[in-house]
Amino acid sequence: MTPPALLVERLAYAYPDGHQALFGVDLRVEQGERVAVLGPNGAGKTTLVLHLNGVLTGQGKVEVTGLPVNKQNMKEVRRRVGIVFQDPDDQLFMPTVRDDVAFGPANFGLRGPELDARVTRALDDVGMAEHADRSPLHLSGGQRRRVALATVLACDPDVLVLDEPSANLEPRARRELAEVLLGLGRTTVMVTHDLPYALQLCPRSVLVDGGVVVADGPTRELLADGDLLARHRLELPFGFRLD
Amino acid sequence: MSAGHSHPLHRPGDTPVHRMAPQVKVVAAVAGVLCVVSTPRERFWAFGLYLAVLAGVWVLARIPPGWLAKRALIEAPFVVLAFAFPFLAGGPTVDVLGVALSEHGLLSGWNIVVKGTLGVLVSLTLAATTTPGELIVGLQRLRVPTMVITIATLMLRYLDVIAAEARRMRIARICRGHDPRFLWQVGATARGIGTLFIRSYERGERVHLAMVSRGWTGAMPDQGRPAGRAAWLLGLAPTALAAVVLGIAL
């Protein structure tokens, strides 16, 4: 039996200042699934994401394709789980796009032609190959977002985790990114406030609030439940109705 | 560094000097400057020969002298100081156009001007033919400590980001009627700088998280390629010429 891409059981976490962010999260994501993690600000979504690759470690169990997230497995866990952060300027820090995309796989031991091939493929996947020798600083917001995605794809992760991928994107860049993501065919966990984007990209959604999962089901059903959304400070943009 | 947005000190090109491994160029430049500063100031001919060697590199790298001259103006404040020496220093004097100038002061001024100018020109030649990114790769190949390399890489990337943020914050202040022309109005600017520091610190934490998530363990991946014996010999040839000049001058 193939192990789930992600298995989170009774995950609890308190920040060093005592603030309890997660109160026992359960989540199972099968391989190939695309799941949106929805929830209001401060619900614990980002805290949950940072547990998936062991940046934070709380109480409970986290496994990535059967591998427990612990100190011994940290390097492999970080290769298996690729996180694309919300602000591309936090992620892109090397002098050129090519260097930045090579940073991850080089850390995981790739060198020479193998590394070059991985970088080229990742940039091709996001349609940014022609910008390989430019500085990330001089790219548009949408291009930076796609390069940030390439920096993670280059590590060949089993699970792709995206934190607010559509934030600050113009409609066209937003659609182009959606097309890239749909074409990848990878297990994807997408944290977002952008409910239509969740509907477009993820057949399943989980709603997190107050540090626990409060709803888990098909995205269309969740978003059609106006009362559920209202209880957790979520709402569809003006003019949208799904019921 | 990038299409259409090169660094003001870099002159993109595809010459043997541009293609030379950055670590070779860094060693050649540092050793060249050491030769210049070690030369006794009275050996006027030696400085002429150094300039000739450097001019040879400019021809190879296709750098026009005018391009260098404009950027060499950075040393102007130091040159002004050097011109004051002949008037301020004591000791025996010589008459130049009826003005008594200190012999010792003239030599001191000449020493500063010639060595400073040659040093600036060597640095500009290195910067013109090597992108900032390549410079870091070169330092990495020369086994400069990993912490220094990491700091230099991040500084190179985020200086512009932070400067842009500071500009946006300033514009936002001005848009709300801030007009920092008087001493009692600088408070908002000072608070802005404080906020920028906190934001940069927080960004630093987020950047660190993003790096750790991609398997970073403390050292930047080595992206350079070793330079062969031929590259070292060719690259250091101008410096070797300078060393011969120094040997004769000493």
Side-chain angles (χ1 to χ4, degrees):
Chain A
M1 203 179 78
T2 46
L6 279 176
L7 183 66
V8 179
E9 283 179 356
R10 297 181 304 282
L11 180 65
Y13 180 75
Y15 280 98
D17 66 357
H19 170 70
Q20 185 85 27
L22 301 178
F23 285 91
V25 170
D26 292 301
L27 177 67
R28 185 186 171 99
V29 177
E30 300 300 336
Q31 295 194 19
E33 256 194 310
R34 284 195 306 276
V35 179
V37 176
L38 313 174
N41 286 332
K45 304 184 299 287
T46 303
T47 308
L48 170 62
V49 161
L50 293 178
H51 277 86
L52 302 180
N53 74 345
V55 166
L56 295 179
T57 44
Q59 289 173 322
K61 185 162 90 168
V62 182
E63 281 183 10
V64 181
T65 48
L67 189 72
V69 176
N70 58 31
K71 267 209 173 91
Q72 291 80 48
N73 299 332
M74 206 52 88
K75 191 148 194 162
E76 178 58 15
V77 162
R78 288 191 178 152
R79 191 204 58 76
R80 289 189 190 188
V81 179
I83 302 184
V84 183
F85 288 85
Q86 184 173 346
D87 186 349
D89 274 335
D90 293 342
Q91 186 134 6
L92 306 176
F93 67 99
M94 297 289 269
T96 68
V97 166
R98 186 190 304 282
D99 293 344
D100 229 315
V101 177
F103 175 76
N107 282 329
F108 293 119
L110 253 61
R111 294 284 182 274
E114 213 182 340
L115 178 63
D116 294 343
R118 190 70 78 79
V119 170
T120 307
R121 201 176 66 208
L123 284 172
D124 274 338
D125 282 350
V126 300
M128 289 295 293
E130 62 189 291
H131 302 288
D133 294 314
R134 295 183 67 186
S135 162
L137 196 64
H138 302 133
L139 301 176
S140 71
Q143 289 173 326
R144 265 187 248 193
R145 185 81 56 163
R146 279 190 279 155
V147 172
L149 176 61
T151 65
V152 168
L153 288 178
C155 302
D156 194 21
D158 297 346
V159 183
L160 195 57
V161 181
L162 307 156
D163 194 359
E164 296 287 359
S166 61
N168 300 323
L169 290 190
E170 59 179 358
R172 186 187 163 130
R174 191 172 171 279
R175 176 182 54 75
E176 285 170 348
L177 182 67
E179 285 167 1
V180 168
L181 291 171
L182 286 169
L184 293 175
R186 283 180 196 262
T187 311
T188 305
V189 173
M190 185 173 104
V191 173
T192 187
H193 284 117
D194 186 343
L195 304 184
Y197 213 49
L199 179 66
Q200 182 182 359
L201 289 172
C202 301
R204 177 185 157 206
S205 287
V206 292
L207 207 164
V208 176
D209 196 8
V212 289
V213 173
V214 293
D216 183 345
T219 305
R220 179 168 286 275
E221 279 178 28
L222 247 65
L223 299 189
D225 188 343
D227 290 339
L228 175 75
L229 296 184
R231 275 202 305 280
H232 300 287
R233 296 185 53 78
L234 290 174
E235 53 188 49
L236 287 163
F238 178 76
F240 272 74
R241 280 181 73 89
L242 289 170
D243 50 349
Chain B
M1 190 161 74
S2 64
H5 290 279
S6 65
H7 192 277
L9 292 181
H10 184 244
R11 190 179 155 81
D14 187 25
T15 69
V17 187
H18 284 82
R19 286 193 296 270
M20 182 67 64
Q23 61 268 38
V24 178
K25 284 190 270 188
V26 171
V27 171
V30 171
V33 170
L34 281 178
C35 287
V36 170
V37 296
S38 312
T39 307
R41 59 190 183 181
E42 300 84 3
R43 303 284 190 274
F44 304 113
W45 55 269
F47 297 105
L49 287 179
Y50 290 141
L51 187 64
V53 172
L54 206 47
V57 177
W58 298 337
V59 170
L60 262 179
R62 298 204 192 103
I63 310 172
W67 189 90
L68 286 160
K70 253 189 273 171
R71 285 156 181 81
L73 282 178
I74 191 169
E75 67 158 344
F78 305 97
V79 176
V80 169
L81 182 74
F83 276 109
F85 275 159
F87 301 99
L88 302 177
T93 58
V94 284
D95 265 4
V96 179
L97 300 173
V99 184
L101 297 176
S102 156
E103 211 171 289
H104 180 68
L106 274 172
L107 275 175
S108 297
W110 156 255
N111 195 37
I112 290 179
V113 170
V114 75
K115 290 182 179 176
T117 306
L118 283 170
V120 167
L121 289 175
V122 169
S123 307
L124 283 174
T125 309
L126 175 66
T129 57
T130 321
T131 63
E134 286 170 344
L135 266 181
I136 288 177
V137 169
L139 293 175
Q140 200 172 10
R141 299 297 312 184
L142 292 170
R143 303 275 184 272
V144 168
T146 51
M147 187 52 77
V148 176
I149 295 296
T150 307
I151 291 171
T153 307
L154 294 177
M155 199 178 75
L156 185 63
R157 169 70 176 92
Y158 287 102
L159 214 56
D160 286 347
V161 172
I162 292 169
E165 198 159 342
R167 265 197 305 277
R168 286 197 300 273
M169 286 168 72
R170 185 180 152 271
I171 290 169
R173 277 201 309 272
I174 290 171
C175 289
R176 284 185 290 158
H178 188 233
D179 185 16
R181 282 190 295 183
F182 304 103
L183 196 58
W184 55 90
Q185 286 180 325
V186 298
T189 306
R191 274 191 288 277
I193 292 170
T195 307
L196 190 64
F197 174 77
I198 303 280
R199 281 196 201 172
S200 305
Y201 184 83
E202 286 173 347
R203 183 186 290 281
E205 300 226 308
R206 295 199 301 271
V207 171
H208 180 250
L209 266 186
M211 289 168 77
V212 165
S213 295
R214 283 192 283 161
W216 185 68
T217 49
M220 302 300 282
D222 184 353
Q223 311 211 344
R225 286 176 179 75
R229 188 186 296 259
W232 278 106
L233 281 174
L234 266 176
L236 292 181
T239 312
L241 274 175
V244 171
V245 172
L246 173 66
I248 299 168
L250 287 175

